[in-house]
Amino acid sequence: MNDIQAHRCDVLIIGGGMAAAWAAIAAAKTGAITIMVDKGYVGTSGVTATGGPNHWWVPPDPGKRREVIERKLAAGLGLGDPEWMERVIDTTWRTLPELAPYYPFGSDGKGGRYYSGVRGAEYMRALRAYALAAGARILDHHPATQLLVNGDGAVRGARGHARLIRRDWEIQAGAVIMATGGCAFRSGLLGSHGNTGDGYLMAVEAGAELSGMEFSIQYSVSPAWASTRTLPYGAARYYDVDGEEIVQPPRGHAHFQALGAALLTGPVYADLIDAPSALPPVLHDIQPFTPPPFVRKGVDLFKERWPIKLFGEGTIRGNGGLRIRDGNCRTNVPGLFAAGDAATRELATGAISGGGAVNSAWALTSGQIAGAAAAKEALAGRRRTMEQLRSAASAAIHPVAAERPVDRKAIEADIDHHMNGYQHALWRSERQLTDSLKVLEAHWRAIRDHGRAEGLSLVSLRETAAMTATARWCTAAALSRRESRGIHVRIDAPELDAGSGARLLTGGLDMIWTRPEQQRYAEAAA
Amino acid sequence: MITHIFEDLCDNCNDCVAICPSHVLDAGEGAPVIARLDQCQTCYMCELYCVSDAIYVGPDAHAAEIIDPEAIRLSGHLGRIRHDHGWDRPDAPGHLDHYRLLGPLLQEGIETAESRYQTLKTDGL
Ligand SMILES: Cc1cc2nc3c(=O)[nH]c(=O)nc-3n(C[C@H](O)[C@H](O)[C@H](O)COP(=O)(O)OP(=O)(O)OC[C@H]3O[C@@H](n4cnc5c(N)ncnc54)[C@H](O)[C@@H]3O)c2cc1C
Ligand code: SF4
Ligand code: SF4
């Protein structure tokens, strides 16, 4: 371990998607020494890069904005926050066009530029260029495995492994921003392989709270052999194994349940005979990644029937994540901020999915806010004397009992089954959630008691630990919310319960707790 | 999953090793080596970033495929993704002009499905 790569900086950002990049830009612009560490490569990793985020885009017309926010608040079923919504809309509108020197915004068809929707790979390439130009330093292939805290429990850095050069690293920082994305439990969802909930685990180990983890049921339709983006499938017709059309509402939980029920009994096929006629000629131009999975399989996307699968989206297009404690994207742990899918998105979207517009606007806004606030805090504390730091992590590093090999593959298969399996996720009930929780508890104990690894193996084992922990928080929260609200649906409590209108917090490692949020952050900050 | 690297096309720049988000590839003596196939997320990013069009990613995300490299070479797949993105000429005029159609086309599809569902429902299903 003496061969460790060591750095110091003001702001350390963990993650490499759009939230991390917008945070790095904001932090570096203040003059703070800013380092961004990503598990993969800033430009290709995360779900931003493979997606094509359409940002929440409302012109600065006060009447119009008020109307949009009121609608969003109602749709969010009591869990949204109007002030945050206003900030998200306004920050996105003002900030996104800043990318013009790096991103070739296309025409809006009316003589202007079209800003709100961007193609993922180009967007992340542009954000990388902008972050570097702003002065941020980027360390690719530097997955973080643990947070460092000082004697008061404040977060002051992180440790991890530089996987291309096979060396451990340690970075001390004045403030840390967690922007590690959501977690889809390795469902195969496009771009999500590295999004294993590491940030939730690292933060909770340091004492952070999570919010909205019960809002973790969301799926996207794709061909059975690979997850793709979903533009072509809006008008799809679906057929069961006998060729009978499956009648189902085209959206929402009932849509997923109808397809999930059919998929549990056999293959389900889709065809796109009803797709917009203008789509086939431009699809490869709008989404160049979407046709190859079909073309290379020899399937004519628009003419044939092909088998489908529902790919779980967990907290990626669900909403749960680190609880935000104030208007500066602070978590409840000093020194630790959160942005993007690593944070709860309830503030901006309430109990419904923010995929489609809100999530990316939230990632941009929370990144910008956290970046500026973390820089301010770090610069103010620059003269701090050298502190003794210790790792906040234990799972997979310090086993409680005798070290023993942990069967990662078996654990991950179980997690996928309990979190993405249609029979579990789409028909949540007290009994089923309790059963899942038991299985997940046993896996957590196996890792905590016996797991130990180093270097590259530690990165993998911590991923398994993080997915296990995340699955437990989602399941415990789903068990606690004894009602159906937004994308959290219980078959044993199908109605919304007016008395359960608070956000639900969760956390803890060996003992998981849940409790309703007592006060909104605004009061807490006052 | 990533299936083949055409060694005769590869100029050993190792860009794919650096940009693969999933740490699938290792630098090799010549062309990079597919070292951790089980981590491949079939994202096609390596194809997008390879200026020599030397990489072929198979369409199946769950299983490795056996392919005939010569047939792939003649198929027109190599370099197609990079070409369709206009990746090498980001500033070319009109490059992303169709992108604004994404939202309206998505919406049109959903509305079609919605009205079809309403019809099917009232037809007594
Ligand atoms: C198919 C799809 C389409 C979508 N379309 C839209 C849309 O049109 N509009 C919209 O608003 N939203 C959309 N969303 C949601 C939106 O894409 C996300 O909200 C947004 O991209 C989140 O950005 P992020 O930076 O938080 O996460 P990501 O882009 O996922 O980035 C997370 C990053 O964290 C890194 N990381 C993970 N663990 C570690 C670790 N231990 N150490 C270091 N780094 C780590 C990963 O490598 C990755 O780079 C879509 C999502 C999907 C999946
Ligand atoms: S990016 Fe292409 S040319 Fe460069 S090493 Fe990889 S395969 Fe070879
Ligand atoms: S398809 Fe994606 S994950 Fe697989 S090797 Fe290429 S860049 Fe890496």
Side-chain angles (χ1 to χ4, degrees):
Chain A
M1 287 284 267
N2 37 22
D3 193 24
I4 206 162
Q5 198 188 74
H7 305 278
R8 293 182 73 88
C9 63
D10 295 312
V11 179
L12 171 65
I13 297 149
I14 305 179
M18 62 174 291
W22 282 114
I25 290 161
K29 271 187 179 174
T30 67
I33 299 169
T34 304
I35 299 183
M36 190 176 170
V37 288
D38 184 33
K39 184 185 282 183
Y41 175 84
V42 178
T44 62
S45 62
V47 300
T48 318
T50 47
N54 175 56
H55 299 64
W56 205 6
W57 200 246
V58 191
D61 164 345
K64 175 108 182 102
R65 284 192 174 174
R66 211 173 314 119
E67 190 192 313
V68 165
I69 290 169
E70 262 156 36
R71 253 189 287 131
K72 198 68 182 169
L73 273 175
L77 299 166
L79 303 190
D81 183 298
E83 280 167 43
W84 264 111
M85 289 177 185
E86 166 72 36
R87 286 176 88 191
V88 167
I89 289 173
D90 193 55
T91 308
T92 304
W93 177 271
R94 283 186 291 104
T95 311
L96 192 50
E98 274 179 28
L99 210 54
Y102 310 97
Y103 182 92
F105 289 102
S107 156
D108 67 356
K110 298 175 216 143
R113 297 286 98 196
Y114 174 70
Y115 290 113
S116 67
V118 289
R119 211 155 67 192
E122 284 87 346
Y123 186 36
M124 283 311 308
R125 173 166 72 175
L127 283 172
R128 182 182 179 98
Y130 190 10
L132 288 171
R137 182 161 177 213
I138 295 177
L139 299 175
D140 301 301
H141 293 287
H142 273 56
T145 54
Q146 50 207 299
L147 289 178
L148 298 173
V149 293
N150 69 9
D152 300 328
V155 174
R156 292 280 182 261
R159 259 185 218 147
H161 185 70
R163 60 189 188 182
L164 290 190
I165 53 169
R166 305 288 170 98
R167 271 174 77 182
D168 289 344
W169 57 261
E170 175 171 313
I171 299 176
Q172 301 197 8
V176 176
I177 300 173
M178 199 56 86
T180 42
C183 176
F185 307 103
R186 292 218 162 127
S187 65
L189 175 73
L190 188 64
S192 73
H193 189 84
N195 290 18
T196 42
D198 307 0
Y200 303 144
L201 176 59
M202 287 187 272
V204 170
E205 284 170 332
E209 299 168 333
L210 299 155
S211 182
M213 297 303 275
E214 67 278 27
F215 302 114
S216 42
I217 300 300
Q218 191 68 18
Y219 284 95
S220 57
V221 170
S222 278
W225 58 89
S227 162
T228 71
R229 293 190 48 212
T230 54
L231 162 62
Y233 318 140
R237 286 175 182 262
Y238 299 98
Y239 308 87
D240 67 15
V241 69
D242 301 319
E244 284 293 318
E245 182 162 357
I246 301 167
V247 178
Q248 35 83 37
R251 288 197 251 199
H253 200 76
H255 164 71
F256 296 132
Q257 272 184 337
L259 294 180
L263 281 161
L264 284 170
T265 60
V268 171
Y269 297 86
D271 73 31
L272 300 185
I273 49 173
D274 287 345
S277 55
L279 180 61
V282 292
L283 180 60
H284 73 281
D285 191 359
I286 298 176
Q287 291 188 344
F289 285 132
T290 305
F294 292 92
V295 176
R296 294 176 186 197
K297 197 92 179 165
V299 173
D300 189 326
L301 165 62
F302 290 104
K303 297 217 172 92
E304 292 175 46
R305 284 190 190 176
W306 36 272
I308 64 148
K309 181 176 160 167
L310 296 175
F311 288 82
E313 303 192 318
T315 63
I316 291 177
R317 271 198 278 200
N319 315 344
L322 291 165
R323 182 190 186 194
I324 297 292
R325 273 301 259 147
D326 71 1
N328 285 319
C329 289
R330 281 189 177 84
T331 68
N332 57 296
V333 182
L336 185 65
F337 297 73
D341 289 355
T344 178
R345 276 132 295 150
E346 293 160 292
L347 301 164
T349 192
I352 59 164
S353 171
V358 177
N359 278 358
S360 56
W362 163 261
L364 181 159
T365 303
S366 55
Q368 287 276 291
I369 290 174
K376 195 170 168 202
E377 187 170 297
L379 291 172
R382 245 187 189 175
R383 274 160 300 153
R384 209 182 284 130
T385 48
M386 287 287 275
E387 295 175 308
Q388 275 292 340
L389 300 183
R390 62 175 176 86
S391 167
S394 62
I397 298 165
H398 305 296
V400 178
E403 184 183 340
R404 239 188 264 156
V406 172
D407 189 348
R408 285 181 38 230
K409 285 232 151 50
I411 294 178
E412 289 185 20
D414 255 355
I415 292 173
D416 184 40
H417 179 72
H418 285 273
M419 302 311 291
N420 297 316
Y422 312 136
Q423 66 276 46
H424 292 285
L426 292 170
W427 286 275
R428 279 178 166 175
S429 69
E430 173 147 3
R431 216 191 80 205
Q432 170 270 315
L433 290 162
T434 309
D435 287 350
S436 291
L437 204 50
K438 268 192 210 128
V439 174
L440 299 165
E441 291 287 352
H443 290 323
W444 173 257
R445 254 177 283 121
I447 296 170
R448 182 208 56 181
D449 288 353
H450 308 295
R452 204 186 88 82
E454 286 175 5
L456 203 53
S457 306
L458 177 61
V459 175
S460 308
L461 192 54
R462 288 283 292 174
E463 290 179 333
T464 310
M467 281 192 284
T468 311
T470 305
R472 288 165 74 225
W473 291 313
C474 289
T475 307
L479 197 53
S480 278
R481 189 176 279 288
R482 278 174 232 280
E483 60 156 356
S484 294
R485 187 180 293 261
I487 60 170
H488 165 67
V489 179
R490 292 259 305 243
I491 53 166
D492 57 351
E495 305 293 326
L496 185 134
D497 166 23
S500 306
R503 296 189 196 113
L504 186 64
L505 308 181
T506 184
L509 293 161
D510 292 338
M511 289 292 290
I512 299 213
W513 54 264
T514 59
R515 69 177 152 85
E517 184 177 44
Q518 292 300 337
Q519 47 186 357
R520 294 280 158 95
Y521 74 87
E523 302 157 33
Chain B
M1 292 178 145
I2 185 169
T3 308
H4 195 73
I5 299 178
F6 289 84
E7 295 200 11
D8 59 321
L9 300 175
C10 171
D11 66 9
N12 309 339
C13 68
N14 283 326
D15 282 359
C16 54
V17 178
I19 68 83
C20 168
S22 240
H23 194 214
V24 172
L25 307 167
D26 277 343
E29 297 271 299
V33 179
I34 301 172
R36 286 163 295 274
L37 184 63
D38 60 322
Q39 291 179 192
C40 177
Q41 60 167 355
T42 317
C43 63
Y44 301 92
M45 289 292 174
C46 48
E47 280 197 33
L48 181 65
Y49 274 79
C50 174
V51 289
S52 307
D53 297 337
I55 300 180
Y56 177 73
V57 175
D60 196 325
H62 307 301
E65 281 152 84
I66 313 254
I67 55 139
D68 171 6
E70 292 321 302
I72 297 294
R73 206 190 282 275
L74 299 173
S75 66
H77 298 324
L78 295 182
R80 181 67 201 259
I81 284 174
R82 211 163 50 79
H83 174 271
D84 282 350
H85 273 87
W87 193 246
D88 298 335
R89 39 178 184 87
D91 298 323
H95 174 60
L96 278 166
D97 283 357
H98 280 143
Y99 206 76
R100 68 173 188 276
L101 302 176
L102 196 164
L105 286 169
L106 192 64
Q107 196 52 34
E108 187 185 335
I110 291 168
E111 278 164 20
T112 302
E114 191 70 58
S115 61
R116 196 179 59 215
Y117 175 61
Q118 293 308 332
T119 316
L120 281 173
K121 252 194 353 192
T122 44
D123 282 358
L125 273 157

